[in-house]
Amino acid sequence: MKNRKQAYHIETEKGLINDPNGLSYFKGKYYAFFQWNPNATDHSYKVWGKTTSQDLVHWSEPVIALQASEAYDKDGTYSGSAVSDGETLSLYYTGNVKRDGVRYPEQCLAQSKDGVHFKKYGSVLSLPDDYTGHFRDPKVTKEDVWKMIIGGQNKKTGKGDIIQYTSIDGTSFKFNKIIGISKQYEMIECPDLFTLDAHEVLMYGLQSRNNDTDECLDAHAVYLIDRLSDLDKGMHMDEGYDFYAPQTFVDAQGRRIMLAWMSRFSDAQEVEFAKDGHIHCLTMPRELSVKKGKLIQSPVREMYELCHEIPYTNHMKIQRQAMIEISPLEHMSFSINKELSIHFDEGISIERYDWAEQIYQKKSWPIKINHMEIWLDTSSVEIFANNGEFVYSARLDPQAEDLLLASSKEPQNINVYRLEIKNDYNK
């Protein structure tokens, strides 16, 4: 069996994980919760998994934090968020309830004083009359009042909205306003609204659905800055194949940090990875900023502490955990095994090997790349170019135990770093 086990990405030993939830900093630790089916590599059942870290690099072994155990969440504890006031960690999540095949979601609350034991307090917001059962993913913040934004499918339009609710105590929420609407997409998921560098930033997922069959057809993550009402104008957050459901939090240093689900696999791609008994992972943590009207994503600085430079020579082999830094030349190509190749010409094109179809998937962009960082783990790549203006995330199927690095021109402006990760769990 191939080794696809990641070294510095959050994943589980068994089952399926997807959306990051409840990202927070609480009593000296980073908390990452996530959707998890610990019983199978499909979406038939969901609990909240939990892992913690002191440094955003080394993560504890995942455990179940919230079970699907009550009348208001019996069919799954679905995505949500967390609020920490220093003494209490409050988790807000969608309780999935189905009756005769129809969804009746409840937005629910659970709290903890120690980050280990969570007490459920039931529903804080029931399904409004104006929305279908596709009403989920509460992102809650606490300022002068408690605010909840949530994605919903409007009954009248059959399209997606982002709605804001407010509360004076965090336990009962009332309608405040509609943040934005879509005229094109049937559902909006995983909204996140925050202020960053004096700008309002709204992140969310645009989802196309067949309302007759209740089937999801496509989804991708986007963002808006300052002008938030027209959700169809969202700009892509990531140019790769495997990125969705991003969520952010602010740490003790005031950084806005984001993680996302690192998978948009096709059914055929999932079949191969599911043979391992576990499937999917989260991205590495990224720090966000706003510059010149764009959302900038950069690896958190803790990742650079793992880097140990080694001399680059053409056709060299290196361990699979590595970072490659390139100041590109025009008309140059760079390849990593048969898994990935990057071509710098008038613009840039990236080819990723599709292990299911056994073809290369190619994307091209008419932009000039001045600098690029390629972060590699056992079965993934995350590319940050032009200081985080361009980001590309994709899973890879390892074709060899090591990485074979090759450039079409003699090595120059290429730096290679091995990543030294001392982690008892992620190894």
Side-chain angles (χ1 to χ4, degrees):
M1 179 184 295
K2 289 183 179 180
N3 175 29
R4 300 185 182 93
K5 177 69 174 166
Q6 302 269 63
Y8 59 88
H9 289 78
I10 295 171
E11 61 181 9
T12 58
E13 295 283 356
K14 59 181 181 179
L16 175 146
I17 72 170
N18 56 307
D19 304 6
N21 297 325
L23 303 182
S24 48
Y25 187 79
F26 179 63
K27 294 189 174 180
K29 289 183 180 180
Y30 295 99
Y31 282 73
F33 300 85
F34 49 86
Q35 293 289 271
W36 186 14
N37 181 355
N39 304 321
T41 54
D42 60 30
H43 295 271
S44 60
Y45 178 74
K46 293 292 173 67
V47 301
W48 271 38
K50 182 195 78 173
T51 180
T52 62
S53 176
Q54 299 284 353
D55 61 4
L56 292 172
V57 175
H58 303 94
W59 295 90
S60 64
E61 183 172 358
V63 297
I64 295 175
L66 294 179
Q67 293 272 16
S69 59
E70 308 298 328
Y72 48 79
D73 63 13
K74 66 182 182 65
D75 295 309
T77 53
Y78 278 46
S79 289
S81 56
V83 176
S84 168
D85 66 3
E87 294 300 321
T88 303
L89 186 62
S90 299
L91 306 184
Y92 292 88
Y93 67 97
T94 298
N96 191 34
V97 179
K98 292 183 179 180
R99 294 193 292 270
D100 299 323
V102 179
R103 298 170 185 253
Y104 296 92
E106 299 282 348
Q107 310 314 313
C108 306
L109 169 66
Q111 291 183 325
S112 175
K113 297 291 186 181
D114 59 7
V116 177
H117 305 93
F118 293 88
K119 181 178 179 180
K120 292 182 178 180
Y121 289 91
S123 176
V124 296
L125 177 66
S126 294
L127 178 63
D129 292 338
D130 293 339
Y131 289 89
T132 73
H134 291 293
F135 185 82
R136 54 181 173 268
D137 309 337
K139 181 64 189 292
V140 178
T141 55
K142 182 184 179 184
E143 299 169 358
D144 51 338
V145 297
W146 295 75
K147 295 180 181 178
M148 174 193 293
I149 62 168
I150 194 163
Q153 185 184 60
N154 192 297
K155 281 184 177 178
K156 292 181 180 179
T157 66
K159 305 298 182 182
D161 295 347
I162 295 178
I163 315 100
Q164 180 170 283
Y165 295 81
T166 58
S167 172
I168 59 172
D169 58 8
T171 62
S172 179
F173 286 81
K174 295 182 178 180
F175 174 80
N176 177 249
K177 62 181 179 180
I178 293 177
I179 300 289
I181 65 172
S182 172
K183 296 180 180 179
Q184 181 178 349
Y185 293 88
E186 286 73 27
M187 180 57 186
I188 306 296
E189 296 186 301
C190 306
D192 193 351
L193 176 63
F194 50 88
T195 300
L196 182 61
D197 298 327
H199 295 277
E200 271 196 304
V201 179
L202 179 64
M203 305 189 324
Y204 52 99
L206 290 171
Q207 187 183 77
S208 297
R209 302 189 67 87
N210 184 323
N211 286 342
D212 294 328
T213 63
D214 202 30
E215 177 187 7
C216 176
L217 304 176
D218 182 52
H220 55 280
V222 298
Y223 72 93
L224 290 169
I225 296 179
D226 293 330
R227 298 180 179 180
L228 311 180
S229 60
D230 188 348
L231 301 181
D232 295 335
K233 292 184 177 180
M235 296 174 283
H236 277 243
M237 291 198 62
D238 193 291
E239 299 296 340
Y241 294 98
D242 297 306
F243 181 96
Y244 195 61
Q247 186 176 110
T248 72
F249 72 105
V250 177
D251 74 352
Q253 302 169 53
R255 298 180 295 177
R256 177 66 61 172
I257 296 174
M258 180 192 75
L259 285 89
W261 177 31
M262 200 171 182
S263 174
R264 298 303 292 162
F265 282 0
S266 67
D267 291 344
Q269 289 172 340
E270 282 202 348
V271 167
E272 179 62 29
F273 268 62
K275 293 177 182 177
D276 299 342
H278 62 90
I279 192 167
H280 305 322
C281 67
L282 304 186
T283 64
M284 72 164 76
R286 305 174 183 180
E287 184 174 349
L288 302 184
S289 59
V290 175
K291 295 179 182 177
K292 298 180 180 179
K294 294 182 179 180
L295 186 64
I296 305 301
Q297 305 175 48
S298 304
V300 293
R301 59 177 172 268
E302 288 86 345
M303 291 299 303
Y304 294 92
E305 297 174 6
L306 304 177
C307 294
H308 298 269
E309 188 170 5
I310 57 178
Y312 174 75
T313 57
N314 211 351
H315 297 93
M316 71 182 293
K317 286 188 177 181
I318 188 175
Q319 67 179 47
R320 294 198 69 90
Q321 289 74 44
M323 194 271 274
I324 302 146
E325 187 178 25
I326 303 177
S327 298
L329 302 173
E330 290 186 0
H331 311 298
M332 169 189 169
S333 296
F334 186 81
S335 64
I336 301 168
N337 293 356
K338 64 178 291 186
E339 300 160 28
L340 192 79
S341 60
I342 305 170
H343 308 278
F344 304 99
D345 294 306
E346 299 301 325
I348 178 178
S349 61
I350 303 177
E351 295 181 87
R352 191 272 299 263
Y353 183 68
D354 181 343
W355 56 92
E357 301 295 331
Q358 298 184 345
I359 59 172
Y360 283 93
Q361 298 170 297
K362 182 178 180 179
K363 289 187 176 184
S364 299
W365 302 267
I367 57 175
K368 181 175 177 59
I369 300 297
N370 301 311
H371 177 267
M372 174 178 286
E373 292 180 0
I374 305 169
W375 292 80
L376 291 147
D377 204 342
T378 313
S379 56
S380 66
V381 61
E382 293 174 71
I383 296 174
F384 302 85
N386 293 353
N387 298 313
E389 289 186 7
F390 175 94
V391 186
Y392 174 102
S393 304
R395 297 301 302 272
L396 305 174
D397 188 35
Q399 303 298 307
E401 185 175 347
D402 297 318
L403 299 171
L404 175 63
L405 310 180
S407 55
S408 62
K409 292 188 175 182
E410 286 303 309
Q412 53 182 313
N413 301 326
I414 299 176
N415 299 311
V416 177
Y417 304 83
R418 62 179 175 83
L419 302 184
E420 188 173 302
I421 304 165
K422 297 178 180 179
N423 194 329
D424 291 337
Y425 169 65
N426 295 106
K427 67 178 182 180

